[in-house]
Amino acid sequence: MAPLQELAKEYAKARRDKKFRQQVAYYLREYVGRPTPLYFAERLTRELGGAKIYLKREDLLHTGAHKINNAVGQILLAKRMGKSRIIAETGAGQHGVATATVAAMFGMECVIYMGEVDMARQALNVYRMRLLGAEVRAVTAGQRTLKEAISEAMRDWVTNIRHTHYIIGSVLGAHPYPVMVRDFQAVIGREARRQILKHEKRLPDVLVACVGGGSNSIGLFHAFLKDKGVRMVGVEGGGRGIKPGDHAARFQKGGSLGVLQGTRTFVLQDEDGQIMLTHSVSAGLDYAAIGPEHSYLRDAGRIEYSYATDPDALAAFQYCARVEGIIPALESAHAIAWVQKHAKKLGRDAIVIANMSGRGDKDVMQAAELMKL
Amino acid sequence: MNRIDQKFRALRTLGKKGFVAYIAAGDPNLKQTGALAREFERIGVDVLELGVPFSDPLADGVVNQLAAERALKSGTTLRGVLDLVRNLRRQGCEIPIVFYIYFNLVHRYGVKNFAKEACRAGVDGVLTLDLPPEEGAAFQQTLTKAGVHPIVLIAPTTPTNRIRTLVKQAGGFIYYISREGVTGMQSKVATTIRDRVAVIRQYSKLPVAIGFGISNPKQARAVAMDGDACVVGSAIVNQIAQNGRDAKKVARFVAPLIKEVKR
């Protein structure tokens, strides 16, 4: 607990420090490639025959997903705190790659924990992390995906706490992590808000993003929370359908308030409080809990949550590639699946921003197998 | 009087150190856990720590993770572990029992309900692994009111001012974690124990038990000398993994540990 309090204190200081903020902004601009475009998806809009669809192109960032926004912020904080070793968990591998990347750039030792199942389905990212000089440790406990990787990273952290900083990749874990990761990702929404006002001279009607732990979604939504007319939709991993063990949709059946990995939030659990198995075709959404702020905003009625099944997401994956020439990450494809389903109903006057949180290169092998390409 | 208090009072009178044994309840099954509890009482284990199996045991090393997996596979639930304690008490087993538990299980069961039933069943203390004092004050009070001691963990990284806050919520004994990290056997014992225990003693009169990483008689004696008791977990759990269906065999591993601590 004491190290968490120290981190919270240091982060609160850094957040008020203009120099720190400038440093983060500098690396995001010069190294990561911000701002990302808010791209009007013209053909997608025409084909779906309804709402005007914009894509926030986080997939164009260095390393290929929004995860790098947070990795940059946290490694600068770690440096400020005098830490010499970085650890992280990863599901889809994008956060692992982002962390390995910034660790390489700042010359820090880096260990990434990844479930064995995820290492197989996201093999490309394992090679990338190794190439970047990180050690990837396979996690073989439990169902061998993101949840176990987080537990193992937390075990490492308490063991090496004095010189190690743990860069959590999503809005999860104990305070200050959910707040800190949200702040570092909120740049997505700040840019999108400015950009849509410029393009359209008005705010959008709907924001949509996929939700695993929930960092890309809260990143997009945060700047719009006070804009009452803007509807926000988080899309969870519906897996093989809403049956126990077959999905990762925490706000559907099976999800209830619980405590996992330092957070009180909605968790998929059984009646005894044991955490349930989850499934999603997308490693980044395959997790039993959701960021606590999502639970709060859901209960407050500010964000609504939906889900897309594996087949929906795979169909959207291919559709987006063929219609827009953009191969989305399987995670982001869940948001596209929602857009596909709802664009027409929303009508031509509506404006939708979907977060293209990452690109799909990492998923091509898996998709090829599943879709018999 | 709470069995933990009775036990440490007796130890103090005798001028002896205590021995705390940790096992995972339900590994390999609850019936066998009952047999182990009675056997441990017979050979002189002072306090029995029962791990209630959880699917995601964040604070545990691999030995205890696997034990929890085996326990869950044998169908162990919190309700089942409470029933086990109730039965042990009915059979006249009076060994002090501490639950080692992750908060989600309590949360799901209902905090008040859990405290009430733990007391009724004959549980003497509850150690909640993942509940910091900032969030846990209400639960700890509920336990205390029910007559169950909240056992508090103190780590080598816990600053002095925080020790002060923590001991205020504590009952029974203080559990000092001998080193940074998770549960599991280690070849070396940390060297900072004595200093930190001295700090704890400034703020609390409760006995101090020292655990995490203690696996052989020599280490057990060394840490027991630095405090009032030592805790051995993974090393015993490891024995259960191999000989869990034979309580006598496991006891033959534990007896020399006790002997060395009491010498």
Side-chain angles (χ1 to χ4, degrees):
Chain A
M1 242 342 247
L4 282 167
Q5 289 172 327
E6 189 196 319
L7 179 63
K9 220 165 92 189
E10 195 54 41
Y11 174 60
K13 261 195 251 161
R15 190 180 186 182
R16 285 190 304 267
D17 180 353
K18 202 171 162 200
K19 243 186 171 161
F20 178 79
R21 291 201 308 265
Q22 279 172 346
Q23 229 183 352
V24 174
Y26 168 81
Y27 285 106
L28 287 183
R29 188 178 65 241
E30 301 295 325
Y31 185 71
V32 173
R34 297 212 75 91
T36 57
L38 181 69
Y39 162 72
F40 171 50
E42 203 182 330
R43 190 160 169 231
L44 190 62
T45 300
R46 205 166 55 234
E47 293 281 328
L48 292 175
K52 218 168 163 183
I53 299 155
Y54 282 86
L55 301 176
K56 181 61 176 161
R57 298 293 308 276
E58 295 298 295
D59 59 316
L60 293 176
L61 291 176
H62 179 42
T63 70
H66 73 291
K67 294 292 185 189
I68 189 102
N69 299 326
N70 167 53
V72 163
Q74 283 203 48
I75 202 156
L76 287 168
L77 190 65
K79 265 182 62 128
R80 210 181 136 99
M81 295 177 74
K83 305 284 182 185
S84 60
R85 179 173 175 268
I86 296 295
I87 58 167
E89 87 294 342
T90 196
Q94 287 303 128
H95 175 57
V97 167
T99 303
T101 297
V102 293
M105 183 182 50
F106 286 106
M108 283 159 104
E109 187 192 340
C110 180
V111 174
I112 306 291
Y113 290 93
M114 189 170 189
E116 218 175 30
V117 168
D118 290 339
M119 282 179 78
R121 59 178 163 174
Q122 307 275 254
L124 176 69
N125 277 341
V126 176
Y127 302 133
R128 289 169 79 197
M129 287 183 267
R130 287 184 179 149
L131 203 57
L132 289 158
E135 181 192 338
V136 182
R137 290 191 189 160
V139 179
T140 56
Q143 71 175 86
R144 292 171 288 156
T145 55
L146 180 60
K147 172 166 65 76
E148 290 76 19
I150 293 176
S151 288
E152 206 51 37
M154 287 182 170
R155 291 184 186 112
D156 178 314
W157 199 37
V158 297
T159 309
N160 301 296
I161 195 101
R162 292 182 202 263
H163 67 292
T164 297
H165 176 68
Y166 174 20
I167 303 188
I168 294 188
S170 194
V171 285
L172 299 167
H175 181 73
Y177 280 107
V179 170
M180 189 164 73
V181 177
R182 177 204 67 201
D183 289 351
F184 287 135
Q185 292 294 1
V187 64
I188 304 173
R190 279 199 305 272
E191 279 177 13
R193 196 171 185 281
R194 202 166 55 230
Q195 289 164 321
I196 198 74
L197 287 174
K198 193 169 158 217
H199 290 317
E200 295 284 347
K201 310 278 179 292
R202 74 169 181 96
L203 288 167
D205 299 286
V206 184
L207 303 176
V208 53
C210 65
V211 190
S215 69
N216 91 80
S217 49
I218 210 83
L220 174 65
F221 297 167
H222 192 250
F224 295 89
L225 282 174
K226 286 188 186 134
D227 302 319
K228 289 209 173 96
V230 179
R231 181 181 164 200
M232 299 175 183
V233 183
V235 186
E236 298 182 276
R240 291 179 288 253
I242 307 303
K243 282 179 304 234
D246 274 357
H247 69 98
R250 287 67 42 108
F251 292 131
Q252 300 298 322
K253 207 164 173 274
S256 56
L257 208 53
V259 177
L260 180 66
Q261 294 171 332
T263 307
R264 184 160 174 264
T265 186
F266 270 72
V267 181
L268 290 166
Q269 56 182 329
D270 68 14
E271 51 185 28
D272 292 321
Q274 305 295 349
I275 308 307
M276 292 210 285
L277 297 179
T278 55
H279 166 80
S280 169
V281 67
S282 136
L285 305 186
D286 197 352
Y287 180 64
I290 188 167
E293 193 171 4
H294 284 282
S295 293
Y296 169 75
L297 290 167
R298 182 254 195 188
D299 281 357
R302 184 62 190 97
I303 305 181
E304 59 186 280
Y305 293 83
S306 174
Y307 65 91
T309 62
D310 290 354
D312 292 345
L314 280 165
F317 179 76
Q318 186 155 43
Y319 183 75
C320 188
R322 295 202 173 162
V323 171
E324 279 298 340
I326 297 171
I327 302 174
L330 275 176
E331 289 77 14
S332 323
H334 285 69
I336 303 299
W338 189 92
V339 171
Q340 255 185 299
K341 211 181 244 175
H342 293 86
K344 190 148 194 192
K345 266 186 283 175
L346 290 168
R348 282 173 202 278
D349 296 332
I351 297 170
V352 175
I353 298 179
N355 202 9
M356 186 58 70
S357 55
R359 64 175 183 234
D361 307 39
K362 68 185 177 63
D363 300 312
V364 169
M365 285 311 291
Q366 192 193 353
E369 241 168 68
L370 290 167
M371 298 161 65
K372 316 251 179 306
L373 287 178
Chain B
M1 196 201 269
N2 186 301
R3 292 179 193 83
I4 297 171
D5 300 333
Q6 277 176 17
K7 177 61 80 176
F8 277 103
R9 188 173 286 186
L11 285 169
R12 201 165 281 181
T13 314
L14 292 169
K16 293 274 183 202
K17 302 292 182 182
F19 183 83
V20 183
Y22 168 91
I23 62 175
D27 172 27
N29 55 55
L30 278 176
K31 197 174 157 226
Q32 205 52 31
T33 303
L36 284 164
R38 286 187 296 269
E39 193 58 23
F40 282 4
E41 183 177 42
R42 191 182 68 77
I43 63 170
V45 169
D46 295 303
V47 177
L48 177 65
E49 235 186 276
L50 281 182
V52 183
F54 182 48
S55 53
D56 297 83
L58 199 55
D60 284 295
V62 67
V63 171
N64 287 350
Q65 287 174 44
L66 291 172
E69 254 177 49
R70 289 192 296 270
L72 287 174
K73 211 172 261 171
S74 77
T76 310
T77 60
L78 173 53
R79 209 172 290 273
V81 185
L82 284 165
D83 287 340
L84 168 74
V85 176
R86 200 171 292 128
N87 285 332
L88 282 169
R89 297 304 185 217
R90 258 186 222 137
Q91 294 159 6
C93 179
E94 284 296 314
I95 190 169
I97 292 178
V98 171
F99 273 11
Y100 172 106
I101 196 168
Y102 288 87
F103 189 64
N104 197 51
L105 301 178
V106 176
H107 187 264
R108 189 72 178 170
Y109 203 91
V111 164
K112 281 202 180 124
N113 205 16
F114 170 76
K116 199 175 73 194
E117 293 205 20
C119 170
R120 270 194 202 154
V123 176
D124 305 291
V126 174
L127 191 168
T128 319
L129 270 299
D130 53 350
L131 188 67
E134 287 78 3
E135 312 288 338
F139 175 53
Q140 310 289 43
Q141 272 168 23
T142 309
L143 284 176
T144 306
K145 253 187 226 155
V148 179
H149 282 318
I151 311 293
V152 159
L153 286 167
I154 292 180
T157 46
T158 309
T160 303
N161 62 359
R162 201 173 164 75
I163 290 180
R164 218 159 33 200
T165 326
L166 279 163
V167 298
K168 276 186 201 143
Q169 291 184 10
F173 61 90
I174 307 276
Y175 192 131
Y176 179 70
I177 300 172
S178 68
R179 61 174 161 81
E180 287 129 67
V182 296
T183 59
M185 297 165 279
Q186 295 284 314
S187 54
K188 270 195 193 140
V189 172
T191 51
T192 52
I193 298 174
R194 197 169 300 172
D195 300 344
R196 297 314 293 165
V197 170
V199 176
I200 294 169
R201 293 227 195 272
Q202 280 175 27
Y203 301 104
S204 173
K205 288 199 171 70
L206 290 174
V208 180
I210 300 163
F212 276 40
I214 318 298
S215 60
N216 62 44
K218 215 176 132 202
Q219 291 174 336
R221 179 171 176 80
V223 299
M225 288 300 130
D226 287 342
D228 301 293
C230 85
V231 189
V232 178
S234 303
I236 300 175
V237 172
N238 219 14
Q239 288 297 314
I240 294 173
Q242 291 159 24
N243 305 306
R245 289 176 200 280
D246 186 347
K248 296 260 181 224
K249 231 178 186 171
V250 178
R252 277 203 287 281
F253 172 80
V254 178
L257 290 161
I258 302 175
K259 202 176 148 199
E260 194 61 20
V261 167
K262 306 270 175 194
R263 182 162 64 86

